[in-house]
Amino acid sequence: MQIRDLPYPDPGIPDARSGPRFLLWLGRKQLGGQLKALAWGLVHFTGIGGLSVGAGLAVQAVIDRSGGRLALAGALIALFGAAIAVGDTMLHRSAVTNWITAAARLQQLLARKTADLGSALTRRVAAGEVVAVSTGDVEKIGWFVEALSRFLAAAIAIVLICVGLVLYLPELGTLVAVGVPVLALAVLPLLPRATQRADVQREKAGKATELASDTVAGLRVLRGIGGEELFLGRYRAASQEVREAAVRSARMWSLISAIQVLLPGVMLISVIWYGSRLALDGRIEVGGLVTVYSAVTLLLFPLRHFEEIAMAYSFSRPSAKRAARVLSLERTTYEDERGGLDDARPTGDLYDPATGLLAPAGLLTVVVCGDPDAAGRLAERLGGHAAEEEKSPSVLLGGVALDDLPLDAARASVLVQDKDPVLLSGTLTELLDIPASGAVDPEKALTAAQCADVLDALAQASVDGSGDPMRSRITERGRSLSGGQRQRLALARSLVTDPEVLVLDEPTSAVDSHTEARIAQGVKALRAGRTTVVFASSPLLLDHADRVVFLHDGEVASVGVHRELVRSDAAYRAVVTRETEHEQDHEQDQGREQEQEQAPGQREETGREQRPEREHIMEPASARAREEIEESA
């Protein structure tokens, strides 16, 4: 694989059982590139080893006053020099290619996993950890992939050079052959401690990244409550812990580097001293001593790759572990007797066996749930994004389990918009240019979502002066827009998609009541004949629903229309109107007193009575909700 061929048509199925297994799988996928880099590395290091032979021959030729052998030595030096230059160039090119292609493969795997899991990913793994994996960890894993081929080439070259020295000059070659493994393995006892300190540094850096990500994401809220300095202080403390851990890790690696400088120096001095004694005794020629000395000196360069591979593996192992953890996450799947299905998209009622929730086909169903977190989890379940720990059966669409569908078919059939949708940077045209059925025009979707004021604001902010809101750029995550504007643009984007089932979690929580009422009308009209499920407790939305489902303690408690449930279900009324327990008890007491005062024949009419006046104990939020109910009724 060359860089120009990226991205991969298929990055493959990774072995994510552990960090080392993932590195091994990645190495197998890069086998062709690794072998290519290994071959060029052997050319490079063979040239380095050959220089010592040429130098020894040249010195001996000068001593013997042999012009022919001196010319031969010069030719060998030129040949080996060319091998070093070409080999080093192509080794660097091949190794960097391995780095980039491995990083690209990992990025594609992470992007595919993110698309598969959707918003469920950040519920299982912290957002900061995902950021750390897709940035710093990708670089560390790529570094190990790049260093591996250079290390293998250096190790093979060292073995070949040592064997050659033993055959060429046994007296000194044996000393070198014994000393080089000692040099290579001398730092092994220190590697566990160095790896441990590197792991601590990585862990603290990951936590600091998570804290920074959370702080930036909630900066507007933090400024509103005056908590900005508090969180900045926490990040400063976390960054200082990272710095201290990095210093402790650097001290250990500096000790390893010092040992790898000291021991080769001791060996070089030993070779010179012992070789000089042999040369003075006439047991070896001066040219042979120069050859061995040059070989030992040049061997120090390949030996550096032993330190590099140790560092690369120590830093990449925790990175690979985090990457494997993210890549090991899977969609929750349940098998039944039908087995797999084809790519056909089912239609019909949407049913959740776990809660008993039924959303009839073609109707607008509003689900009221007192727990916002439980509502968010149920919304994800309806889209096939059930949490990993959930063991309940799959949601059914037209009697077909969503978990049995191919992922593309499931995503096209059911679209879930959570309560905090993300707007990507780009123009409004690019925002709405998404896979869709084509039945809903973007202008109609924007109108239904009540985006007229948003379009006016974008037209005024047009950078090219055209005044066309569709060509105006939206900043990252829509930060230049208000919360209500972002919410409405996200709703318009979902409406453009026009899925068979659209699930909206609190789609109007950031807009005013008048806009909310118009949005309810627009969505119902635009989605006529399509199944729409909305999680909300606003009376303005509930009054436009074809069907209202009230969930209590994770199960369907009552079903009906909004006005009937307000009168007949006290628990439903408490959630919709935000009643306190004191208000509910007071209402029940007054109801019992009125029943006792009524004649038996009159009690049938109590269901149509007006509720007792309780404005003197009503909270402001409850009062507004009751006014909306009275207006809708």
Side-chain angles (χ1 to χ4, degrees):
M1 171 63 72
Q2 298 297 320
I3 297 177
R4 62 176 176 269
D5 298 326
L6 294 175
Y8 287 96
D10 180 13
I13 305 299
D15 186 351
R17 289 175 290 178
S18 65
R21 287 180 180 271
F22 176 70
L23 289 177
L24 181 61
W25 174 86
L26 195 60
R28 290 199 304 266
K29 286 294 183 179
Q30 303 288 125
L31 185 58
Q34 293 289 355
L35 292 176
K36 184 178 180 180
L38 176 60
W40 286 115
L42 289 175
V43 172
H44 173 60
F45 291 118
T46 301
I48 290 177
L51 281 181
S52 60
V53 177
L57 290 176
V59 171
Q60 191 62 41
V62 172
I63 294 175
D64 296 340
R65 298 180 180 277
S66 174
R69 283 189 293 167
L70 182 61
L72 176 61
L76 287 176
I77 292 175
L79 176 63
F80 288 129
I84 292 174
V86 174
D88 189 24
T89 301
M90 298 307 297
L91 171 61
H92 178 75
R93 180 185 179 92
S94 301
V96 172
T97 299
N98 290 335
W99 182 342
I100 295 176
T101 53
R105 185 186 298 275
L106 180 53
Q107 289 281 18
Q108 284 187 244
L109 290 172
L110 292 171
R112 185 175 67 184
K113 183 60 63 176
T114 302
D116 288 349
L117 296 177
S119 59
L121 176 64
T122 53
R123 293 207 311 270
R124 303 185 194 180
V125 181
E129 184 171 351
V130 178
V131 173
V133 171
S134 60
T135 53
D137 289 338
V138 169
E139 180 181 355
K140 296 299 182 295
I141 293 172
W143 177 29
F144 174 75
V145 172
E146 178 206 12
L148 182 60
S149 57
R150 289 205 303 266
F151 163 72
L152 293 176
I156 295 175
I158 288 174
V159 172
L160 294 177
I161 291 174
C162 289
V163 171
L165 289 178
V166 170
L167 296 177
Y168 174 67
L169 203 61
E171 294 86 350
L172 286 178
T174 303
L175 176 61
V176 175
V178 173
V180 168
V182 174
L183 298 181
L185 303 178
V187 297
L188 285 182
L190 299 178
L191 286 180
R193 181 71 63 84
T195 302
Q196 182 181 7
R197 292 190 179 185
D199 291 347
V200 172
Q201 177 192 352
R202 281 296 176 195
E203 181 180 357
K204 292 183 178 297
K207 291 182 179 179
T209 302
E210 292 178 17
L211 181 60
S213 176
D214 294 341
T215 302
V216 172
L219 191 58
R220 180 178 297 181
V221 177
L222 291 176
R223 287 176 176 172
I225 63 176
E228 181 180 2
E229 289 299 326
L230 174 63
F231 274 79
L232 288 178
R234 291 180 180 176
Y235 179 74
R236 292 190 187 100
S239 64
Q240 288 302 312
E241 292 181 3
V242 175
R243 182 189 62 80
E244 294 173 0
V247 170
R248 288 195 296 269
S249 178
R251 286 173 179 169
M252 184 57 65
W253 287 112
S254 63
L255 177 60
I256 292 175
S257 299
I259 291 176
Q260 290 201 329
V261 171
L262 175 63
L263 293 183
V266 171
M267 189 181 106
L268 188 60
I269 293 174
S270 301
V271 168
I272 293 174
W273 177 81
Y274 183 59
S276 300
R277 295 291 300 272
L278 293 177
L280 290 175
D281 294 341
R283 298 168 60 182
I284 64 173
E285 295 179 342
V286 176
L289 176 60
V290 172
T291 298
V292 175
Y293 168 77
S294 302
V296 173
T297 303
L298 295 173
L299 276 176
L300 301 182
F301 177 69
L303 281 173
R304 295 176 185 174
H305 293 286
F306 284 78
E307 177 188 358
E308 182 186 15
I309 195 64
M311 292 184 64
Y313 180 73
S314 298
F315 281 96
S316 66
R317 188 173 61 85
S319 298
K321 181 180 178 181
R322 279 194 294 267
R325 181 190 174 195
V326 174
L327 295 176
S328 64
L329 300 176
E330 298 291 343
R331 288 182 71 221
T332 305
T333 57
Y334 304 91
E335 300 294 336
D336 59 16
E337 63 277 6
R338 291 190 306 273
L341 298 173
D342 55 20
D343 293 337
R345 300 177 186 176
T347 59
D349 300 342
L350 185 69
Y351 177 67
D352 178 27
T355 60
L357 171 63
L358 174 65
L363 298 183
L364 172 61
T365 301
V366 179
V367 181
V368 178
C369 184
D371 184 1
D373 294 333
R377 290 192 296 270
L378 178 55
E380 297 294 338
R381 272 184 47 76
L382 294 180
H385 302 277
E388 190 174 11
E389 62 273 10
E390 291 188 14
K391 301 302 180 183
S392 52
S394 172
V395 173
L396 305 178
L397 177 59
V400 177
L402 286 181
D403 291 333
D404 290 338
L405 290 174
L407 185 60
D408 293 342
R411 292 289 182 270
S413 299
V414 183
L415 173 65
V416 178
Q417 176 184 302
D418 60 21
K419 64 183 64 178
D420 187 22
V422 176
L423 300 181
L424 302 179
S425 60
T427 65
L428 185 56
T429 299
E430 294 171 342
L431 177 69
L432 301 179
D433 184 15
I434 54 178
S437 66
V440 177
D441 186 81
E443 294 184 3
K444 294 181 180 179
L446 292 169
T447 301
Q450 300 299 310
C451 295
D453 63 318
V454 185
L455 297 178
D456 292 340
L458 291 176
Q460 294 176 2
S462 176
V463 294
D464 58 2
S466 63
D468 185 2
M470 303 301 293
R471 298 174 59 184
S472 298
R473 294 196 62 82
I474 299 173
T475 58
E476 180 186 3
R477 300 180 69 91
R479 299 189 189 279
S480 59
L481 304 174
S482 67
Q485 290 174 332
R486 290 196 301 270
Q487 204 170 51
R488 282 176 283 163
L489 284 181
L491 176 59
R493 180 179 57 186
S494 299
L495 294 175
V496 167
T497 306
D498 189 38
E500 180 67 27
V501 179
L502 177 61
V503 181
L504 304 173
D505 187 9
E506 295 289 350
T508 58
S509 59
V511 302
D512 59 82
S513 58
H514 297 287
T515 304
E516 186 177 32
R518 293 194 297 268
I519 290 176
Q521 296 174 354
V523 171
K524 184 175 182 179
L526 190 63
R527 292 283 300 171
R530 291 288 203 181
T531 307
T532 307
V533 181
V534 181
F535 286 83
S537 58
S538 169
L540 296 175
L541 283 174
L542 292 167
D543 194 50
H544 288 83
D546 298 315
R547 175 186 174 93
V548 177
V549 179
F550 175 54
L551 292 179
H552 185 66
D553 292 335
E555 295 181 354
V556 173
S558 56
V559 179
V561 294
H562 170 59
R563 300 181 187 184
E564 293 178 357
L565 292 177
V566 167
R567 291 192 296 263
S568 61
D569 194 323
Y572 172 83
R573 183 168 60 251
V575 173
V576 173
T577 61
R578 285 76 166 175
E579 284 183 345
T580 63
E581 294 183 0
H582 176 68
E583 289 175 331
Q584 297 179 44
D585 295 340
H586 181 73
E587 182 179 359
Q588 292 175 358
D589 292 341
Q590 287 191 351
R592 284 193 294 269
E593 292 175 359
Q594 290 180 0
E595 288 181 358
Q596 293 174 359
E597 294 175 358
Q598 288 176 341
Q602 297 175 331
R603 291 183 182 177
E604 296 179 358
E605 301 179 358
T606 58
R608 297 187 297 272
E609 280 187 347
Q610 296 268 339
R611 291 189 302 278
E613 296 293 333
R614 301 189 309 280
E615 281 74 6
H616 61 287
I617 62 171
M618 188 179 300
E619 295 179 357
S622 178
R624 287 196 300 270
R626 290 184 179 280
E627 291 176 0
E628 294 174 353
I629 293 174
E630 292 174 357
E631 291 177 1
S632 63

